[in-house]
Amino acid sequence: MNDSNIIVKQNSDGKSPVTAAAFSIIGHREYQQDFAGLVTEDRTTLAVICDGMGGLNGGERASREAVQLLLEDYEREQPSQQFTEFLCQEAARMDQLVCGLTNSQGQPLKAGSTTVSVMIHDGELYWMSVGDSRIYVLRGTSIVPVTRDHNYRRELEDMLAKGEITKERFQSETATRRADALTSYLGMGGLRRLERNMQPFVLEKGDMVLLCSDGLYKSLDEHQIQAMILDNQASLTVAVRRMVRMAKELAVKSQDNTTAVLLRYEGMPGEEKM
């Protein structure tokens, strides 16, 4: 584990119903702008990934300080209910924090960051997303993305579905680099899009939840991600390390910073695998 950009806190007596592993690489980039946090307790697990954007150390500061804020607020508030509301509240706080960052001369840093975060409490999954980092749920041999990317490509998809643009226009626009331009991220000073689950997702014993920055899924497709996890599920640490390293090996061009957090729900005491 790259301890420099992943904060791990285990406040459990070893009876947590969730096991977890995290791993991160800098890839071929000069700066590491991914930052992650993981807190495991007896009844609740919190995980977050932020992928920063900004020149020099701007993205690094944005992602690090956003994660630290969430972890500090969680430790102080110790929420025991309304978990989705807590995560959405934190997204707004992280947005304002990143928006207000300044450089050594006191000038606006103009940095940004994506964020995905989840909480698992008593077998129920709650999640929140801003930007284009992702969350996947794996059950048995199936993998399902539960987030949608907040970028120009998604806007084009919505416009195409509504008949507002032609298929030719959609294809020409999505073929350009601007298709990946984010339309919502921390640091905007008012989030344009924020997604969360309105009702908790009830986990079954053995279900796995993956959080990742875009460096992972831009090198590995869903089937490859699924195969890497299932082939190495005996050890989440091995699975997450091999998956992230495979992304670097298969990168078509230079590999971006890549971070993944993998959680497995082991079930509450007395719960049988379904």
Side-chain angles (χ1 to χ4, degrees), residues 54-262:
L56 298 177
N57 69 339
E60 181 181 354
R61 281 188 59 194
S63 61
R64 180 180 69 249
E65 295 191 27
V67 168
Q68 290 175 337
L69 175 67
L70 173 58
L71 298 185
E72 290 168 2
D73 285 354
Y74 173 77
E75 185 173 354
R76 183 183 67 254
E77 296 187 23
Q78 288 292 303
S80 59
Q81 57 185 347
Q82 298 183 319
F83 301 105
T84 298
E85 290 81 354
F86 170 76
L87 294 176
C88 292
Q89 164 194 304
E90 289 304 299
R93 283 176 49 77
M94 291 189 286
D95 172 56
Q96 291 300 316
L97 171 69
V98 175
C99 183
L101 291 177
T102 58
N103 61 21
S104 58
Q105 287 76 46
Q107 300 168 327
L109 198 57
K110 296 181 179 180
S113 177
T114 71
T115 185
V116 285
S117 59
V118 304
M119 294 181 72
I120 298 176
H121 178 80
D122 288 351
E124 295 183 335
L125 171 68
Y126 306 81
W127 60 267
M128 178 275 295
S129 170
V130 179
D132 66 352
S133 293
R134 291 183 181 177
I135 301 169
Y136 297 89
V137 172
L138 293 89
R139 173 171 291 174
T141 58
S142 299
I143 181 171
V144 177
V146 300
T147 56
R148 291 188 64 193
D149 301 337
H150 298 161
N151 55 23
Y152 182 44
R153 178 178 286 103
R154 171 180 174 174
E155 305 243 328
L156 292 168
E157 290 171 350
D158 290 343
M159 288 189 285
L160 179 64
K162 295 176 182 177
E164 296 175 355
I165 60 173
T166 64
K167 187 175 182 179
E168 290 72 24
R169 169 75 185 284
F170 174 80
Q171 292 174 336
S172 65
E173 287 292 296
T174 54
T176 65
R177 292 185 61 185
R178 62 178 174 271
D180 290 329
L182 294 180
T183 54
S184 187
Y185 55 88
L186 303 179
M188 299 182 75
L191 298 172
R192 183 178 176 187
R193 287 182 184 268
L194 181 151
E195 295 191 20
R196 75 282 189 202
N197 56 337
M198 300 302 294
Q199 298 294 328
F201 179 82
V202 179
L203 296 170
E204 296 179 1
K205 187 174 181 180
D207 284 354
M208 288 184 276
V209 181
L210 171 67
L211 296 78
C212 66
S213 58
D214 65 343
L216 186 73
Y217 67 79
K218 286 184 176 178
S219 292
L220 301 177
D221 63 28
E222 289 181 13
H223 298 295
Q224 291 171 316
I225 292 173
Q226 176 188 19
M228 289 297 298
I229 294 175
L230 294 180
D231 288 349
N232 300 281
Q233 61 181 314
S235 169
L236 295 192
T237 299
V238 171
V240 76
R241 285 175 175 267
R242 287 183 175 174
M243 181 171 50
V244 170
R245 287 169 175 161
M246 181 62 70
K248 183 176 180 180
E249 290 180 17
L250 297 182
V252 176
K253 297 180 180 179
S254 63
Q255 179 64 22
D256 194 3
N257 304 152
T258 304
T259 304
V261 178
L262 185 59

Side-chain angles (χ1 to χ4, degrees), residues 28-70:
H28 299 116
R29 297 301 177 88
E30 185 177 357
Y31 301 102
Q32 173 58 276
Q33 298 190 342
D34 284 1
F35 209 90
L38 176 62
V39 180
T40 303
E41 298 182 317
D42 290 338
R43 295 182 62 186
T44 306
T45 295
L46 168 68
V48 56
I49 290 179
C50 286
D51 180 357
M53 306 167 288
L56 298 177
N57 69 339
E60 181 181 354
R61 281 188 59 194
S63 61
R64 180 180 69 249
E65 295 191 27
V67 168
Q68 290 175 337
L69 175 67
L70 173 58

